[in-house]
Amino acid sequence: MSAPVMDMLDSYPADLGGVDREALARCIEACFSCAQTCTACADACLSEERIAELRACIRTNADCADICEATGRMLSRHTGYDANLTRAQLEACAMACRSCGDECARHAGMHEHCRVCAEMCRLCEQACNDLLRALG
Amino acid sequence: MSAPVMDMLDSYPADLGGVDREALARCIEACFSCAQTCTACADACLSEERIAELRACIRTNADCADICEATGRMLSRHTGYDANLTRAQLEACAMACRSCGDECARHAGMHEHCRVCAEMCRLCEQACNDLLRALG
Amino acid sequence: MSAPVMDMLDSYPADLGGVDREALARCIEACFSCAQTCTACADACLSEERIAELRACIRTNADCADICEATGRMLSRHTGYDANLTRAQLEACAMACRSCGDECARHAGMHEHCRVCAEMCRLCEQACNDLLRALG
Amino acid sequence: MSAPVMDMLDSYPADLGGVDREALARCIEACFSCAQTCTACADACLSEERIAELRACIRTNADCADICEATGRMLSRHTGYDANLTRAQLEACAMACRSCGDECARHAGMHEHCRVCAEMCRLCEQACNDLLRALG
């Protein structure tokens, strides 16, 4: 039941401008998946007994979810492509994933949800950086 | 690279209250996937030559994306569960998917992106209704 | 610097279908304002010393922000108006504001941000209910 | 009924770190207002007879709404402040507002909603740049 990201890319009626479809599809999927995971991790932290140690983690999860979501939506659009905006937003997204991945990694030994979330953030950061490279 | 929705459910540190985890995970995944697909379909419609026939389709895609996203986020949280709000938002989401699926289905013979999107909307509508039933 | 909601309603190029513009504009403004206030309240709660008492408040704030935002966006669109979806989402939004307002009100004596947020939630709940009545 | 942005800043329980509150509040308000205006402008364009000339405008409106919203939410949080992420996202937001303002300005003589939206985008771009300067 994963999003038919590649089917949607393949059925886009105009020119995709020679973009690396694999890199683009992976980044779109990672952005939406990371938004879900970070939203869930923030909530799981909220129910931990030692919540006071997880304040920064909850906050960075919230930012990362919002930024991944905006980035995933932007990447899902191809009409009137704006290379500079795409790059700037991808850079912000890679940074959000880096921050959130670092923070979650600090709690990964203690909380399984932080371990899973750190891994997803790394994957999304990588997907953003791969796409940035592919865009040239 | 699909979202580790079930891993996040399994690592939630408090009681999930006897919810049907399969139905919940499927609905969360469908909401995020449908948000992506509808965002992409709105943009694909925007690049169709016969865009004037797709006004209602673009609009219902935009609503469906926003409502699926809010619903998917709400379902990703379990702390302080609010049964009435969950039901009300799931009902609105099923309705948004129904409307969008119906509209996209009208253009499915002409536009492959509308065919894929109609299918995703049906799947998400079903996942919302299955979860509503599971919640009792 | 408030959003020019009424200017945008007045410049919509097609028929708004006899909707009560005042009630619609007030509800759109309230939804976006409430999304901002709930986002800020969740974060303020996160920095309170007695954060453990605010778990449900942070969660309901997050839901209310997401639902208000989706509702405010839906109400900002008029092309291909869908009366049933509008009503269903407005009802879910009024319920989210009710829940969040109730929870914030419990902490209003202790935390000024919860007092301000409870007031905003009441106002948005009222605006949703007023618009529901105006829609007939 | 505008968002009580400054009241929320004033009731934040921890240190705001010497930020320029006026610049921060103006930018938060501008981001949420711009998200609303761009959502409404995209929909108004959708109902214009000459919709085919407005494809790029609808798309840039959609991006600008999503990016402004994510930025406004991030700026509404202060717990565990991340200066680098804040700057990167503000830069992306200023760029989104610049693109959207430029595109809407092209249609401002023809469509009042594009004129109002271009103005809001300029104001939000300015608010982002002012905050970037204030952050040093």
Side-chain angles (χ1 to χ4, degrees), chain D residues 107-126:
Chain D
H107 312 286
M110 186 77 92
H111 305 305
E112 173 68 4
H113 49 85
C114 285
R115 194 196 60 72
V116 173
C117 191
E119 212 172 89
M120 176 53 79
C121 289
R122 298 305 188 209
L123 194 149
C124 192
E125 181 193 356
Q126 188 64 51

Side-chain angles (χ1 to χ4, degrees), chain D residues 20-135:
Chain D
D20 179 336
R21 280 165 195 246
E22 289 294 338
L24 177 56
R26 265 198 306 271
C27 194
I28 294 171
E29 281 176 23
C31 283
F32 279 87
S33 292
C34 198
Q36 195 278 322
T37 308
C38 287
T39 303
C41 189
D43 181 72
C45 288
L46 213 52
S47 279
E48 290 289 351
E49 206 183 338
R50 297 168 73 170
I51 183 175
E53 297 168 10
L54 295 164
R55 297 172 202 264
C57 196
I58 294 171
R59 190 262 154 102
T60 191
N61 268 319
D63 277 6
C64 196
D66 290 343
I67 290 173
C68 282
E69 192 178 283
T71 307
R73 282 171 164 244
M74 178 196 70
L75 295 175
S76 301
R77 303 179 185 117
H78 320 294
T79 304
Y81 174 67
D82 181 333
N84 290 332
L85 180 58
T86 302
R87 293 190 66 87
Q89 187 57 42
L90 272 170
E91 278 159 16
C93 192
M95 201 178 289
C97 292
R98 164 75 67 107
S99 289
C100 193
D102 285 352
E103 182 61 35
C104 279
R106 265 178 223 125
H107 312 286
M110 186 77 92
H111 305 305
E112 173 68 4
H113 49 85
C114 285
R115 194 196 60 72
V116 173
C117 191
E119 212 172 89
M120 176 53 79
C121 289
R122 298 305 188 209
L123 194 149
C124 192
E125 181 193 356
Q126 188 64 51
C128 289
N129 285 326
D130 288 349
L131 183 55
L132 276 165
R133 254 188 308 276
L135 294 176

Side-chain angles (χ1 to χ4, degrees), chain A residues 23-61:
Chain A
L24 177 56
R26 265 198 307 272
C27 194
I28 293 171
E29 281 176 23
C31 283
F32 279 88
S33 291
C34 198
Q36 195 279 322
T37 309
C38 288
T39 302
C41 189
D43 181 72
C45 289
L46 213 53
S47 279
E48 290 290 350
E49 207 184 337
R50 296 168 73 170
I51 184 178
E53 297 168 10
L54 295 163
R55 298 172 202 264
C57 195
I58 295 170
R59 191 261 155 101
T60 191
N61 268 318

Side-chain angles (χ1 to χ4, degrees), chain C residues 15-93:
Chain C
D15 192 5
L16 284 176
V19 71
D20 179 337
R21 280 165 194 245
E22 288 295 338
L24 177 56
R26 266 197 307 271
C27 194
I28 293 171
E29 282 176 21
C31 283
F32 279 87
S33 292
C34 199
Q36 194 279 323
T37 308
C38 287
T39 302
C41 190
D43 181 71
C45 288
L46 213 53
S47 280
E48 289 290 351
E49 207 185 337
R50 297 169 73 171
I51 183 177
E53 297 168 10
L54 295 164
R55 298 173 202 263
C57 195
I58 294 170
R59 190 263 155 101
T60 192
N61 268 317
D63 277 5
C64 196
D66 290 344
I67 291 173
C68 282
E69 191 177 284
T71 308
R73 281 169 165 245
M74 177 195 71
L75 295 174
S76 300
R77 301 178 186 117
H78 320 294
T79 305
Y81 174 66
D82 181 332
N84 289 332
L85 181 57
T86 302
R87 294 191 64 87
Q89 187 57 41
L90 272 171
E91 277 160 16
C93 193

